[in-house]
Amino acid sequence: GGLLSMSSTATVDHSPTISLRTDLHDVHLYVVSNWVFELIHARPSMQSFQSEVLPLLISRQYRGVEAAFGPTAWKVEGNRERLGKVLKELDGATDDGAIACDKVSTLLGMYASGKMSGGLGSFLPNSDGDFPNPADELGAVTPKADPTLSGSLLCPPFPASKHAYAVSAQVLSREASSFTLRACTLPSLLYGCGAVTSQTLKLDPAASSSLVAKGATLSAKFNSILMPSCSMGEKVQTKGCTIVGGNVTLGDRSKLNNVVVMDGVSVGNNCVLQNSLVGANAKIGDNCNLRDCQVGPGAEVPSGTKTLEKGEAFHV
């Protein structure tokens, strides 16, 4: 990933350029208006906020809230009521914010308790007892035509108004937001663990002790945290945001720098571990030199092993 720049009008003129970033990661944290919950109800077939709801909101933002609901969803009476109420709230015609908050809380509670069926908005079956069809264009269930309906009961015209809204993204710098990090690579995981370790060790001992397991050893001098029941040999060195799990054995003269060691690991004598992750119950023999690597859970690394390239992995 990196930064890709392109002229807004190719080579026709020299107006300012457009920058497209390809190295940003979604941290899966979204803040939405109350009307979006009504939209999810109106489109019950949508399964994912990230891959379905968010793209929909982005694509319709310049066409308004009405376009987000869409004319197909408008054909359902319940959805017409939802959109009508949303538009009144946006126009300031209602002030029942407490009701809206209660409704949002109920929606989130039902979502968390797993009472949904199908998509994000499938809380109740339709009139036929079936849940909405995910293949429907807009996720709404169009009622079956009733030949007895008179002209006065036909669907009213779709609203011609346009209530604009915007979808924006907040780009967080790594330096300013150490805890906002998606650990999708080994370096980012080590960075995240290091940031948490540093922040924990800066706290007052009374406060930091409540954040780690009882009996853990916190070393501000070496910027390291050792979990309980960790056995250390003679002249062992830990530094650079190293985290050592419980029931770990570190052999004599071992050196660990910016390493995360999971529970139950055994490290032999005279080993050097740097910028690496060691999985639970792994065994590392004597005189090993492991840098920028990952050792899988339960893996055994023979004595004298040295990493030959960055990112090398050892598995069972």
Side-chain angles (χ1 to χ4, degrees):
L3 184 64
L4 174 65
S5 297
M6 59 192 304
S7 172
S8 58
T9 53
T11 57
V12 177
D13 60 39
H14 299 286
S15 55
T17 59
I18 298 175
S19 297
L20 303 178
R21 297 205 66 96
T22 61
D23 60 344
L24 302 179
H25 296 286
D26 186 354
V27 296
H28 309 293
L29 177 63
Y30 311 105
V31 179
V32 298
S33 299
N34 284 336
W35 67 265
V36 176
F37 291 95
E38 296 290 354
L39 174 65
I40 293 175
H41 270 294
R43 293 171 169 263
S45 67
M46 292 189 293
Q47 302 286 329
S48 166
F49 189 95
Q50 181 190 32
S51 62
E52 294 182 87
V53 179
L54 187 59
L56 170 67
L57 294 174
I58 293 174
S59 65
R60 305 294 172 88
Q61 61 180 323
Y62 298 112
R63 295 161 56 187
V65 173
E66 295 83 348
F69 278 80
T72 301
W74 177 257
K75 297 177 182 179
V76 181
E77 182 178 359
N79 291 338
R80 291 198 297 271
E81 295 177 356
R82 289 189 180 99
L83 179 54
K85 184 175 181 179
V86 166
L87 298 182
K88 288 181 179 179
E89 291 176 350
L90 294 176
D91 291 334
T94 60
D95 57 354
D96 42 347
I99 297 177
C101 292
D102 289 342
K103 180 170 53 182
V104 171
S105 299
T106 301
L107 175 62
L108 294 176
M110 295 177 71
Y111 181 80
S113 62
K115 293 182 180 179
M116 300 186 317
S117 296
L120 293 175
S122 302
F123 291 98
L124 295 174
N126 56 29
S127 57
D128 296 326
D130 299 324
F131 284 95
N133 181 10
D136 189 277
E137 177 188 2
L138 293 180
V141 182
T142 304
K144 296 181 179 179
D146 188 343
T148 63
L149 290 177
S150 63
S152 62
L153 295 180
L154 294 177
C155 179
F158 187 72
S161 59
K162 181 186 293 186
H163 291 72
Y165 67 91
V167 178
S168 61
Q170 176 66 48
V171 180
L172 303 173
S173 67
R174 175 170 290 187
E175 292 75 15
S177 55
S178 300
F179 295 106
T180 305
L181 176 72
R182 184 181 181 191
C184 52
T185 63
L186 179 59
S188 63
L189 173 62
L190 292 175
Y191 176 87
C193 292
V196 173
T197 301
S198 298
Q199 294 295 328
T200 302
L201 294 174
K202 290 178 182 178
L203 298 174
D204 180 86
S208 60
S209 61
S210 64
L211 301 176
V212 296
K214 185 178 181 180
T217 302
L218 284 71
S219 175
K221 179 179 180 181
F222 298 107
N223 205 22
S224 302
I225 298 179
L226 281 66
M227 292 295 107
S229 303
C230 179
S231 175
M232 299 179 62
E234 297 181 356
K235 299 182 179 179
V236 173
Q237 297 181 20
T238 60
K239 61 180 181 178
C241 300
T242 291
I243 303 176
V244 180
N247 299 309
V248 171
T249 300
L250 302 178
D252 297 341
R253 296 173 295 281
S254 293
K255 299 179 181 179
L256 285 71
N257 181 12
N258 191 32
V259 178
V260 175
V261 181
M262 303 294 186
D263 295 345
V265 172
S266 175
V267 178
N269 300 324
N270 302 305
C271 289
V272 177
L273 306 179
Q274 181 172 325
N275 301 328
S276 299
L277 172 66
V278 183
N281 302 312
K283 295 182 179 181
I284 299 176
D286 298 334
N287 303 307
C288 290
N289 192 327
L290 308 180
R291 302 172 186 268
D292 301 291
C293 72
Q294 50 186 315
V295 180
E300 296 188 10
V301 181
S303 297
T305 299
K306 295 183 179 182
T307 50
L308 301 177
E309 58 184 26
K310 191 173 182 179
E312 191 170 350
F314 301 89
H315 299 290
V316 177

